[in-house]
Amino acid sequence: QPAHCPLCGSDTAPREESASGFPPAAGSLAAGGDGRSYPYLPYAVPPHIRLIRLLQLGTIVAAVICVAINYILPSRGWWSLFVIAGIASFWLTFSIAMRKRHNIPKNLVWQTVLISVLALLWDIFTGFRGWSVDYVIPILCVGTMACLSVWARIKKLRAGDYLIYLIIDSIFGIVPLLLLLLDIPRVNFPSTICIAVSVVSLSSLWLLEGNALWAEICRRLHV
């Protein structure tokens, strides 16, 4: 047993019992000079937590400055509300990304759904010019399918994982198809490209991993 603690340099010798047979009081024998039996280790804030807190403070300061300027010069309407809504949208997507950071595929799906909903809400509350359904949702779906495909290849996922991606690709391909059937988009080529990419992705996945996928489906459905 070392004679001194490697952290605080305190004596590690066993305590002597008093005449009453009990150890001395906590304050009578110091470890590190303040009576503790263990050294005091200050809590160090991780660098990424400190960076996030600074970013939060910066966004709060920016929002307050925008509201103050908007209040002083109100001639152009309450544009500061859009700034606050943008900051809230950013922190909402960022919090989901941090919560799901250990599962990249789930994180991609959550971000696609959340950003699509936020884009649709922004489009509705700004007069609905259609940019959310024309461009944002189809481009997000194509990007997510491409990222999932690359991630599956890099990680060399099993057939059970491929089955999950097969369902996800199907859903992402159905969303733009429903928009086209409802005649909602004013620009059709992004949704058409998304549907085509979904069909190609599903076809290649089924042709290349069809046997493994079918075996996995039979196993899960107990066929």
Side-chain angles (χ1 to χ4, degrees), residues 29-84:
L29 187 61
D34 58 357
R36 293 186 177 90
S37 58
Y38 295 98
Y40 173 75
L41 298 178
Y43 174 74
V45 179
H48 69 279
I49 299 297
R50 186 180 298 274
L51 180 61
I52 292 174
R53 290 176 179 175
L54 290 175
L55 187 59
Q56 290 173 340
L57 179 61
T59 54
I60 292 174
V61 171
V64 171
I65 291 176
C66 289
V67 171
I69 294 175
N70 197 184
Y71 181 76
I72 296 173
L73 304 172
S75 58
R76 297 187 178 181
W78 286 98
W79 52 266
S80 59
L81 297 178
F82 291 97
V83 176
I84 297 174

Side-chain angles (χ1 to χ4, degrees), residues 6-29:
L7 296 177
C8 66
S10 303
D11 188 9
T12 59
R15 297 185 178 185
E16 297 180 357
E17 294 185 354
S18 61
S20 61
F22 294 98
S28 62
L29 187 61

Side-chain angles (χ1 to χ4, degrees), residues 1 23 28 58 63 74 102 105 113 119 122 144 163 170 178 185-187 199 207:
Q1 181 179 359
S28 62
H102 300 297
V113 174
W122 273 90
T144 302
L163 183 61
S170 301
L178 291 177
R186 301 174 184 176
V187 181
V199 172
L207 291 175

Side-chain angles (χ1 to χ4, degrees), residues 7-219:
L7 296 177
C8 66
S10 303
D11 188 9
T12 59
R15 297 185 178 185
E16 297 180 357
E17 294 185 354
S18 61
S20 61
F22 294 98
S28 62
L29 187 61
D34 58 357
R36 293 186 177 90
S37 58
Y38 295 98
Y40 173 75
L41 298 178
Y43 174 74
V45 179
H48 69 279
I49 299 297
R50 186 180 298 274
L51 180 61
I52 292 174
R53 290 176 179 175
L54 290 175
L55 187 59
Q56 290 173 340
L57 179 61
T59 54
I60 292 174
V61 171
V64 171
I65 291 176
C66 289
V67 171
I69 294 175
N70 197 184
Y71 181 76
I72 296 173
L73 304 172
S75 58
R76 297 187 178 181
W78 286 98
W79 52 266
S80 59
L81 297 178
F82 291 97
V83 176
I84 297 174
I87 292 174
S89 300
F90 166 75
W91 282 112
L92 181 60
T93 55
F94 183 80
S95 62
I96 296 297
M98 292 298 294
R99 288 177 182 271
K100 308 294 181 182
R101 66 184 182 274
H102 300 297
N103 191 331
I104 299 300
K106 185 181 292 186
N107 197 347
L108 288 172
V109 174
W110 272 91
Q111 292 296 324
T112 301
V113 174
L114 182 59
I115 295 176
S116 298
V117 172
L118 289 175
L120 186 60
L121 291 176
W122 273 90
D123 197 2
I124 292 173
F125 285 105
T126 54
F128 193 74
R129 298 181 180 179
W131 52 266
S132 60
V133 295
D134 289 344
Y135 299 103
V136 176
I137 295 178
I139 291 174
L140 279 176
C141 292
V142 172
T144 302
M145 285 188 287
C147 292
L148 287 176
S149 178
V150 172
W151 184 260
R153 294 298 179 184
I154 292 176
K155 290 297 183 178
K156 299 179 180 179
L157 299 177
R158 300 176 292 105
D161 299 320
Y162 272 114
L163 183 61
I164 297 174
Y165 296 117
L166 181 63
I167 297 173
I168 293 174
D169 284 347
S170 301
I171 294 174
F172 287 158
I174 289 173
V175 172
L177 179 60
L178 291 177
L179 294 176
L180 286 178
L181 292 177
L182 295 174
D183 199 21
I184 296 178
R186 301 174 184 176
V187 181
N188 294 333
F189 73 89
S191 298
T192 305
I193 292 174
C194 181
I195 296 170
V197 171
S198 178
V199 172
V200 172
S201 176
L202 290 174
S203 300
S204 61
L205 188 60
W206 183 260
L207 291 175
L208 296 177
E209 301 290 340
N211 294 331
L213 284 173
W214 180 250
E216 183 68 18
I217 292 173
C218 293
R219 185 183 69 83

